[in-house]
Amino acid sequence: MIAKVEPLTPARTLRGPFDYRLGDDLPGVNVGSMLVVPFGPRRLLGVVVDLAEESELPPERLAEPLRALEADVPAALVRLGLWLAREYCSAPARGLALVLPPGTGTGSGQPLRPRSSLHATLTDAGREALAGGLPGLGERQQAAVRALGGGPLAAAPLTRLAGCGHATLRALERRGLVTLDRTADPSRRPRLEQVGAMAGPAPEPTPDQSAALAAVEARMDAGVPGDPLLLQGVTGSGKTEVYLRAVAAALERGRSAIVLVPEIALTPQTAGRFVERFGDAVAIVHSRLAPRERYDEWWRMRRGEARVCVGPRSAIFAPFDDLGLIVVDEEHDASYKQEGDPRYDARVVAERRAAEEGAVLLSGSATPRPESIVRHERLRLDSRVDRRGLPPVELVGMLGSSGALHERTRDALDDVRRRGEKAIVLLNRRGWSNFLSCRVCGNVWDCPDCDVTLVLHRAAGEIACHHCGHSEPVPPACGECGSASVARHGAGTEQLERELEELMSPLPVFRLDADVTAAGGSGAVLRAFDAADAGVLVGTQMVAKGHDFPAVTLAVVLDADATLRFPDFRAEERTFALVAQLAGRSGRGERGGRVIVQALDPSARALRHAAEHDADGFAAGEIERRRAFGYPPFGNLVRAVCSSEDPGPELAAAEALRERVAAAGMPVLGPAPLFRRRGRFRAQLVIRSPERTPAIDAVRAAVEEVAAMKEHAAAAFAVDVDPQ
Ligand code: ADP
Ligand code: ZN
Ligand code: ZN
């Protein structure tokens, strides 16, 4: 047999697969096996992507693999990884790295070994021998069997009890008296930080929930998964309960399930409900896990000890080979798109994986994307479980008013203060001030590496770039004219926090934004806000995620149309979702609640619909607009960005790409210059085509051709399919 092996090296020039002859000493090699193979003078780690009877190479040129690793991945995942690499114009090794055990494929070569503990159990023969007085056994063997009479034991305590070593246990195994098996150490399970109220036992489903669940189960039983399902329901309408029951339905049918959630650190409640319902059958994977923990969770899934994987986008690669269900919670969330290569969208990958493996795909949101509304079959939960209405939303125009907070907002916050309640205030801009300028000469402090202004972070005593991480101490004087008179423009969360501390005293104010998260404090902030009797949570969009704080009676969005001013066709959708999601945070308790939305132009379509909790009305208009302009889901976008250290090559490369893509018959916009970032000049092309695969293929072919040309050697290329 011949194994076709794709080497796991990020070197783009080394494109497999390469053929290796399988000798008798490596039985059981299959698609998904991981092999260490000789490659010239080197040794490489590779994945078997195919098996064949024969090779086109002459036998004397075929080498044999050196050894096989203990870990392997299901064949379907190998196909998924290779598909992903093509779909997102990346290298096969990078696509495969996503589906392999954590820690492999990163170039470091040697993967971790599973940390598992050896457990010993008496066999029937062992019990008989014990009853018969253990004839023919040595002293230590006898002691070990006796110790096991009370039930299975891990090797460590057993060897201590019996005063024996592992060799004794293996001898007993050879005699058929004891079985030894490896299980992951349960004490190593990652713990979830608890935030907020945990759900009690499973409630009786409402008629709407039952209907949604029946649709999911019908799909499972039909044998063919059919179109993906979209569960639309406002926050508190019981979507998570439907997910929980859908997972139970998959498990009852002997299948595994994946539950994708946005960033776990921000929404531990949801993950916690799965652990609470399914216990050890749940594996939690997220970015905060140590490599060791990730690896252990991977093995629990691979061995079938964990049947449910809950996690952010990478959880879509959970190594199940009997997948029955994929849930995508908060399917509108931008975190499902990966920013680095390969720039995959976990929602698209979920669709592919569900279709290939016969699993049901169930996405859900209060504010689903037009893409899902158009292409999925919709299920609805139309009211909150507790029958409470959604809170009234007041739109407040800020033209002519100075300061961050409008009069009405101040009054509403003051009510919260006097009554000792809770409020959430959202401002999607971190730091203290947007930028600094010299009052004398007008000099503005810019990032040396990007064409953007530096943002003042007062607590840290620095001005920082939000695009590259560059930071420098707050300048004492203007570098151009020496004036010490510096103006600060705009307000961010840091400044707002200070203002609210004064306004709301003695209520505590908690801040949640990327600066806090970077310090590892998001969980602590959320717990503190939850535990406080009263207070204010202020922060960026993170505060609008799915937290459930019953005591919140006021939610405020500042500068709600800031996101609308972005030159992005998703700007309206984002703004609508942000306001609607935040509105869902208010009034979850008995005291009801209100929502205030401050904007320069409160008549904007996204804001008006959000104020009326009119997701359908917003979606209808949005879908028409998308149809008219050929935007997703009525067209496909592929973005190519060329960059270079000096100005010029990036534009020339983009122009060369444009010619080729246009010659392939694809409609292409650009090249358009982008602002300089991380010291690199950039230009972008956008391909907008009704046909998906031909568009991707045309861009890939053009990039491969131009990237190989000497005259464009100074340019680097990045392709983003379905850019966000
Ligand atoms: P969503 O995910 O749509 O925000 P959840 O599933 O979290 O909604 O439900 C909101 C609250 O209602 C939770 O506290 C949940 O335990 C409770 N709940 C959900 N379904 C029911 C039900 N059928 N009966 C009673 N309470 C329910
Ligand atoms: Zn100056
Ligand atoms: Zn910068």
Side-chain angles (χ1 to χ4, degrees):
M1 282 300 267
I2 303 298
K4 299 193 171 286
V5 176
E6 187 68 52
L8 291 171
T9 129
R12 285 198 178 239
T13 45
L14 203 61
R15 278 273 161 106
F18 302 109
D19 288 3
Y20 288 87
R21 187 179 47 237
L22 291 175
D24 296 334
D25 53 334
L26 276 183
V29 167
N30 227 317
V31 174
S33 294
M34 295 170 61
L35 303 177
V36 179
V37 292
F39 193 85
R42 291 193 286 163
R43 295 164 155 224
L44 292 178
L45 184 60
V47 185
V48 179
V49 296
D50 205 359
L51 292 177
E53 295 287 337
E54 288 171 23
S55 172
E56 288 174 1
L57 293 176
E60 66 276 11
R61 292 202 37 208
L62 285 174
E64 284 189 23
L66 299 168
R67 60 188 183 91
L69 299 193
E70 196 176 343
D72 66 348
V73 287
L77 273 180
V78 170
R79 289 193 294 272
L80 188 75
L82 293 174
W83 165 84
L84 187 148
R86 275 194 77 72
E87 186 79 359
Y88 292 96
C89 295
S90 185
R94 292 188 188 246
L96 288 171
L98 294 169
V99 306
L100 297 177
T104 32
T106 51
S108 63
Q110 196 53 265
L112 299 162
R113 291 182 59 80
R115 175 176 44 214
S116 50
S117 52
L118 203 58
H119 280 252
T121 314
L122 277 191
T123 60
D124 288 345
R127 295 202 170 278
E128 267 170 41
L130 182 58
L134 302 170
L137 292 189
E139 209 173 294
R140 268 176 292 199
Q141 293 186 356
Q142 290 194 10
V145 173
R146 282 203 196 89
L148 285 173
L153 279 173
L158 173 59
T159 48
R160 256 196 321 274
L161 271 173
C164 68
H166 280 79
T168 309
L169 302 184
R170 275 192 291 273
L172 288 169
E173 187 186 30
R174 277 195 301 275
R175 286 170 171 253
L177 303 179
V178 161
T179 54
L180 298 176
D181 53 353
R182 291 202 166 270
T183 45
D185 185 344
S187 66
R188 298 291 180 176
R189 297 291 319 289
R191 302 218 168 280
L192 268 184
E193 299 173 284
Q194 288 197 4
V195 174
M198 295 285 262
E204 265 309 295
T206 62
D208 280 355
Q209 286 173 326
S210 296
L213 197 68
V216 174
E217 289 185 300
R219 289 276 156 99
M220 287 179 180
D221 293 333
V224 278
D227 282 343
L229 298 168
L230 171 65
L231 183 62
Q232 182 174 353
V234 295
T235 40
S237 61
K239 295 187 296 298
T240 308
E241 185 57 36
V242 173
Y243 305 149
L244 286 161
R245 286 178 178 268
V247 168
L251 295 179
E252 275 162 23
R253 286 161 177 76
R255 312 280 295 266
S256 299
I258 294 173
V259 181
L260 297 185
V261 294
E263 181 53 48
I264 285 214
L266 291 174
T267 53
Q269 277 167 336
T270 307
R273 282 168 70 183
F274 283 87
V275 173
E276 189 184 45
R277 190 79 51 98
F278 303 109
D280 272 354
V282 178
I284 305 265
V285 294
H286 59 83
S287 55
R288 294 276 154 79
L289 291 186
R292 184 81 255 178
E293 292 173 317
R294 259 166 204 265
Y295 197 66
D296 290 347
E297 288 298 80
W298 189 90
W299 268 107
R300 292 205 317 122
M301 292 188 274
R302 185 72 184 108
R303 279 191 294 246
E305 292 159 24
R307 314 291 311 281
V308 183
C309 182
V310 181
R313 62 176 177 259
S314 64
I316 193 57
F317 306 112
F320 298 131
D321 49 20
D322 54 0
L323 189 64
L325 174 74
I326 303 175
V327 170
V328 184
D329 186 21
E330 310 284 6
E331 70 96 33
H332 61 277
D333 199 276
S335 70
Y336 288 125
K337 183 80 181 339
Q338 163 121 322
E339 280 179 15
D341 181 39
R343 295 178 167 76
Y344 70 89
D345 187 324
R347 295 163 294 202
V348 176
V349 180
E351 235 175 278
R352 171 83 183 190
R353 188 165 183 195
E356 292 286 308
E357 298 181 33
V360 175
L361 176 58
L362 174 65
S363 306
S365 173
T367 54
R369 298 172 301 153
E371 284 91 329
S372 310
I373 293 175
V374 169
R375 296 176 36 237
H376 299 178
E377 183 181 326
R378 214 161 5 157
L379 310 168
R380 310 197 60 132
L381 301 177
D382 277 325
S383 52
R384 280 183 163 181
V385 173
D386 53 16
R387 305 248 151 246
R388 278 196 195 101
L390 288 157
V393 179
E394 302 152 55
L395 292 174
V396 177
M398 291 299 284
L399 270 184
S401 84
S402 62
L405 301 171
H406 192 274
E407 275 297 314
R408 297 238 311 264
T409 310
R410 287 175 168 273
D411 290 348
L413 282 165
D414 200 51
D415 289 345
V416 168
R417 186 186 59 80
R418 278 186 294 105
R419 296 195 205 119
E421 296 170 347
K422 286 186 187 175
I424 299 182
V425 181
L426 188 162
L427 173 61
N428 217 355
R429 205 160 47 220
R430 65 197 165 88
W432 183 277
S433 290
N434 290 355
F435 67 98
L436 307 178
S437 72
C438 170
R439 285 188 212 275
V440 174
C441 75
N443 173 37
V444 169
W445 275 263
D446 285 327
C447 176
D449 295 325
C450 314
D451 291 334
V452 297
T453 56
L454 293 173
V455 177
L456 173 63
H457 290 257
R458 229 175 72 159
E462 60 185 28
I463 49 180
C465 174
H466 286 184
H467 288 275
C468 73
H470 166 89
S471 66
E472 51 190 80
V474 176
C478 174
E480 300 290 318
C481 74
S483 155
S485 176
V486 175
R488 300 165 171 179
H489 305 269
T493 46
E494 196 184 2
Q495 190 175 135
L496 189 61
E497 176 189 24
R498 175 67 59 82
E499 186 169 346
L500 286 169
E501 273 167 0
E502 279 169 26
L503 200 67
M504 302 301 281
S505 167
L507 265 48
V509 176
F510 306 91
R511 194 178 95 220
L512 184 64
D513 57 28
D515 295 324
V516 177
T517 319
S522 60
V525 171
L526 288 168
R527 275 195 302 280
F529 180 61
D530 186 49
D533 296 327
V536 182
L537 178 66
V538 54
T540 54
Q541 56 187 358
M542 290 179 191
V543 302
K545 306 273 167 169
H547 326 295
D548 187 2
F549 301 117
V552 172
T553 55
L554 173 68
V556 181
V557 190
L558 304 186
D559 212 355
D561 45 2
T563 46
L564 282 179
R565 297 191 285 268
F566 277 47
D568 176 350
F569 77 94
R570 285 196 177 86
E572 299 212 22
E573 178 192 337
R574 290 232 173 86
T575 306
F576 174 81
L578 195 62
V579 175
Q581 295 288 337
L582 190 76
R585 304 294 136 234
S586 176
R588 302 195 86 162
E590 277 153 23
R591 282 188 264 189
R594 64 193 279 206
V595 180
I596 296 179
V597 177
Q598 295 188 179
L600 280 177
D601 176 12
S603 71
R605 193 175 68 91
L607 298 182
R608 273 187 293 113
H609 283 295
E612 279 153 28
H613 303 291
D614 182 14
D616 289 336
F618 175 75
E622 188 63 20
I623 287 168
E624 275 329 297
R625 204 172 63 90
R626 301 267 187 110
R627 198 195 303 274
F629 292 112
Y631 282 129
F634 305 102
N636 298 279
L637 298 184
V638 183
R639 183 171 101 121
V641 176
C642 304
S643 68
S644 60
E645 223 154 286
D646 302 309
E650 87 287 8
L651 268 175
E655 186 55 43
L657 278 188
R658 193 197 62 75
E659 274 167 27
R660 284 164 180 78
V661 175
M666 290 296 147
V668 47
L669 310 170
L674 296 175
F675 71 91
R676 191 172 55 107
R677 188 174 164 174
R678 293 177 191 273
R680 298 188 69 86
F681 293 84
R682 303 182 302 155
Q684 81 166 358
L685 293 177
V686 175
I687 290 81
R688 187 172 59 189
S689 161
E691 295 174 290
R692 183 177 177 84
T693 309
I696 297 171
D697 288 346
V699 175
R700 185 192 308 107
V703 168
E704 280 176 4
E705 193 185 334
V706 175
M709 293 166 71
K710 266 214 179 77
E711 58 198 285
H712 295 298
F717 302 82
V719 177
D720 192 356
V721 177
D722 303 329
Q724 299 296 299

